[in-house]
Amino acid sequence: LSQRPFAAIYGRAPVLRLPTRENYIEHEVERVIVAYLGADIALIASTVIQQVLDSTPLRAQHEKPEDIRKDLQRVLDGPRFTTWKAPHGPTLRVMAPGVALDSSLDIRDRARYHVFALLREKGEAAEGEIAQEVLTRLAEERELEPLRTSIPDLLHTIAESIGSHRWRLDARKVSDYKQLRLFFWPSRAEALRERIEQRYRQRQGRSLRPDLEGLTLLRDRLREANATDSDFETQWSRLQALLQTALLRLMDSFRDQIECVLAIGEWAADGIDLRNLPFEDVVLGIVLRGDERPFELYWQLADEVFADLRDDNVMVQFQLITGSEWERAVALARPEDRTETLGIPLLSRA
Amino acid sequence: MTGAATSPDIKRKWYRLAVRHLRMARRLLGSGFADGAFFHAYHGYECALNAVIAASGYAVPPAGATTYTLPSGKKSRAYPSPKGRITETSVHKARVAFFDEVADRGKPYFTTHARLSSFLSIPARNSALYYDSNLDLLPQQRYGHRTVLGLLRVVEQFAGEVWQDIR
């Protein structure tokens, strides 16, 4: 094509950003910052550089780590990112003010990030103001997917309630949230399998994954119930490790059969004294997608997930709830605003 | 005139009681009461646990509880056990904890117990008795014939494995 017809056809078309290494890195940095509510340079470098080196589209170009490092520095110095010094914490890379987030990132992560950004700027804010900000920012990102998590649930993960519907950023909760996120982050093999499944299988509905808001709520409830226990963190770590094993096994082997998994009973409703374990009930309610509760499934779950989870301190047990039982329970609880009494979600579909 | 008193074979009594609960469960299941059958299956399982505790020479809770003094000076009750003492006040839970301490983990009955105990729990046993207002479920809605039949077969197998080992 000669110059003139080319200019006539393409002259006014916007220049598209091709998937170069630099904008690939920019996207990865943004993903890490949004997911982890700001990230220090060590976290960014460890995740982004590895991700680029492992990336199929870029692998053919024989990437050198030092070149990636230079690109990374250029991206971090660019207009989309800035720095923020957390109180008593390290300097973090965060998104620059007013930047619209990449709408391909998870909607819950983006919503939480907007809450984080607002509270970082204002220190504290009313729940209504926060909700307005989140919805406005999501609208700017041309978000069509509904946000399925309530704003108070998001707030519980990173802020403390300081009055009626008023919240303040809580640095410790932000740090706990990051730990939780890292703890439940799927392995590379799981991420790979997820992508293959997405490509080759007809996926039915939303994927099952750890509910970080629920896990935070459970930890807060237990922390409150164990306020006088100086060993709480150790006990919670042990319990959390067992929960992680159980939940990952459920996701790994039973994901097609499970709608969600909840902490049910007293440990979820009021919290239990962890010093009384293993005598306190630690029960997971497994909500099935179908309406059958066959004994074979009980036995298979017991064998593959729970039988070797017992240690001298904790015994994790389970109950099965059918899909229709769950729908009816939610329908009954919702008008009375008591869905929380049904349990705390630990795995959910989002 | 009566003969000399002999010490009762306590483990056998608990095993027989387990079998009796399991027979009652079969009868109830045959009569359409799967929820009642579940309840008795639970107690059949618990009595088999008790048989193992008795066979190890310990008293089966609530028997055997002793009073001791906490460092704070407060008095408390507990069951002396191989690993120290079990402070649980619920008899059902104390029996499971006791069994975990005295059981031989290499035996077939322990493998079966490890699986059963992950869902055959006190909350499950209670839900075979009472209305669950959270889920709006009656016991008969929760436990179906086939599910309880499957459970019953495994608990019977468990009781058999226990007796095989302690007889």
Side-chain angles (χ1 to χ4, degrees):
Chain A
L1 205 61
S2 64
Q3 188 68 32
R4 187 175 291 178
F6 182 88
I9 296 169
Y10 299 113
R12 291 181 186 179
V15 178
L16 295 175
R17 299 191 71 196
L18 295 172
T20 61
R21 188 174 63 200
E22 195 168 320
N23 59 39
Y24 185 91
I25 289 174
E26 184 177 287
H27 175 82
E28 280 304 303
V29 170
E30 184 169 338
R31 185 183 65 77
V32 172
I33 287 176
V34 171
Y36 292 96
L37 305 173
D40 60 24
I41 193 67
L43 179 62
I44 291 174
S46 65
T47 49
V48 173
I49 292 177
Q50 194 59 48
Q51 188 73 24
V52 174
L53 290 173
D54 286 351
S55 153
T56 310
L58 299 177
R59 192 178 298 153
Q61 297 171 26
H62 305 294
E63 305 299 329
K64 293 180 190 154
E66 55 270 30
D67 292 343
I68 299 170
R69 239 175 252 129
K70 281 181 201 158
D71 278 350
L72 178 58
Q73 194 55 53
R74 227 182 345 262
V75 163
L76 289 173
D77 292 341
R80 287 187 69 76
F81 306 104
T82 185
T83 56
W84 174 65
K85 173 90 174 72
H88 316 296
T91 298
L92 301 177
R93 302 283 173 162
V94 293
M95 301 304 295
V99 164
L101 300 183
D102 179 345
S103 61
S104 70
L105 297 176
D106 181 84
I107 186 171
R108 252 196 305 196
D109 284 350
R110 277 182 288 142
R112 192 189 330 270
Y113 188 85
H114 291 314
V115 173
F116 168 69
L118 180 73
L119 290 178
R120 212 177 62 223
E121 183 194 334
K122 298 204 163 191
E124 61 179 72
E127 209 168 285
E129 187 186 354
I130 296 167
Q132 187 182 17
E133 168 75 4
V134 170
L135 295 175
T136 306
R137 298 302 306 273
L138 290 179
E140 284 168 4
E141 290 155 25
R142 297 161 194 253
E143 184 52 57
L144 299 174
E145 188 188 350
L147 177 62
R148 294 176 196 278
T149 309
S150 74
I151 300 295
D153 281 351
L154 291 175
L155 280 162
H156 274 293
T157 59
I158 59 169
E160 63 169 335
S161 173
I162 52 167
S164 178
H165 300 287
R166 279 199 77 77
W167 296 83
R168 180 165 56 208
L169 191 67
D170 184 336
R172 191 177 81 159
K173 281 191 157 188
V174 173
S175 165
D176 284 349
Y177 172 77
K178 288 183 188 197
Q179 294 293 335
L180 200 61
R181 176 106 195 184
L182 284 165
F183 196 70
F184 280 94
W185 199 248
S187 70
R188 201 172 291 281
E190 277 179 297
L192 193 62
R193 189 185 56 205
E194 181 89 12
R195 274 188 229 157
I196 292 168
E197 280 181 358
Q198 272 176 351
R199 182 179 296 179
Y200 293 110
R201 281 180 44 192
Q202 179 95 33
R203 309 243 335 143
Q204 292 183 334
R206 299 152 287 132
S207 63
L208 189 68
R209 66 180 194 179
D211 190 309
L212 298 182
E213 289 75 28
L215 285 158
T216 304
L217 179 60
L218 178 64
R219 186 200 55 214
D220 288 352
R221 193 150 289 167
L222 290 171
R223 183 177 275 154
E224 206 174 313
N226 291 269
T228 58
D229 178 7
S230 57
D231 277 342
F232 169 76
E233 294 300 336
T234 313
Q235 288 156 340
W236 164 248
S237 296
R238 187 179 294 147
L239 178 58
Q240 184 178 243
L242 283 178
L243 285 178
Q244 185 202 26
T245 306
L247 296 177
L248 293 180
R249 285 178 183 175
L250 288 171
M251 285 201 305
D252 195 37
S253 304
F254 297 92
R255 65 170 64 217
D256 292 338
Q257 288 151 281
I258 294 174
E259 177 59 28
C260 61
V261 176
L262 306 110
I264 57 172
E266 195 187 338
W267 75 303
D270 304 313
I272 50 170
D273 188 338
L274 294 185
R275 288 169 295 192
N276 288 345
L277 289 175
F279 303 119
E280 299 284 1
D281 292 320
V282 175
V283 185
L284 299 181
I286 300 174
V287 178
L288 303 173
R289 303 190 90 180
D291 282 338
E292 295 291 324
R293 199 171 15 217
F295 180 74
E296 292 73 20
L297 182 59
Y298 276 100
W299 202 238
Q300 202 184 350
L301 282 163
D303 188 30
E304 294 179 24
V305 179
F306 294 93
D308 66 344
L309 274 186
R310 57 195 310 123
D311 67 11
D312 287 343
N313 298 294
V314 190
M315 185 172 155
V316 184
Q317 297 176 303
F318 72 95
Q319 281 185 15
L320 296 184
I321 301 161
T322 67
S324 57
E325 286 168 0
W326 179 246
E327 280 169 20
R328 196 177 62 236
V330 171
L332 281 171
R334 198 167 277 149
E336 297 167 20
D337 199 21
R338 56 169 187 86
T339 46
E340 218 181 82
T341 62
L342 298 178
I344 297 178
L346 304 181
L347 290 183
S348 58
R349 291 191 176 271
Chain B
M1 190 176 167
T2 56
T6 54
S7 68
D9 187 353
I10 298 170
K11 69 183 182 196
R12 182 180 294 273
K13 285 178 187 290
W14 280 117
Y15 171 70
R16 288 271 168 84
L17 193 50
V19 172
R20 185 174 167 77
H21 274 297
L22 294 175
R23 287 177 59 201
M24 285 192 276
R26 282 273 176 188
R27 293 281 177 93
L28 285 167
L29 191 62
S31 308
F33 296 103
D35 48 337
F38 184 96
F39 175 80
H40 281 283
Y42 176 85
H43 284 281
Y45 161 68
E46 192 180 274
C47 287
L49 300 181
N50 294 345
V52 175
I53 298 169
S56 70
Y58 283 89
V60 174
T66 57
T67 303
Y68 69 100
T69 309
L70 292 166
S72 62
K74 199 176 152 191
K75 290 204 183 298
S76 186
R77 283 178 73 73
Y79 303 101
S81 71
K83 290 188 179 173
R85 57 182 168 227
I86 292 167
T87 52
E88 173 56 34
T89 49
S90 155
V91 171
H92 297 298
K93 290 181 188 173
R95 287 168 173 174
V96 175
F98 221 123
F99 173 85
D100 276 344
E101 289 195 19
V102 299
D104 183 339
R105 295 183 175 227
K107 292 284 164 61
Y109 70 71
F110 193 84
T111 308
T112 311
H113 159 72
R115 293 176 189 166
L116 270 176
S117 60
S118 65
F119 62 92
L120 192 55
S121 57
I122 297 296
R125 171 242 193 217
N126 290 345
S127 64
L129 289 178
Y130 307 117
Y131 168 63
D132 181 337
S133 58
N134 253 347
L135 294 176
D136 184 33
L137 270 187
L138 286 163
Q140 63 266 34
Q141 294 172 300
R142 192 187 289 267
Y143 297 108
H145 180 93
R146 280 192 59 239
T147 303
V148 177
L149 180 61
L151 171 72
L152 205 42
R153 285 177 179 151
V154 174
V155 178
E156 286 166 351
Q157 174 199 322
F158 173 67
E161 288 166 349
V162 163
W163 187 241
Q164 187 75 26
D165 191 63
I166 63 172
R167 65 193 310 167

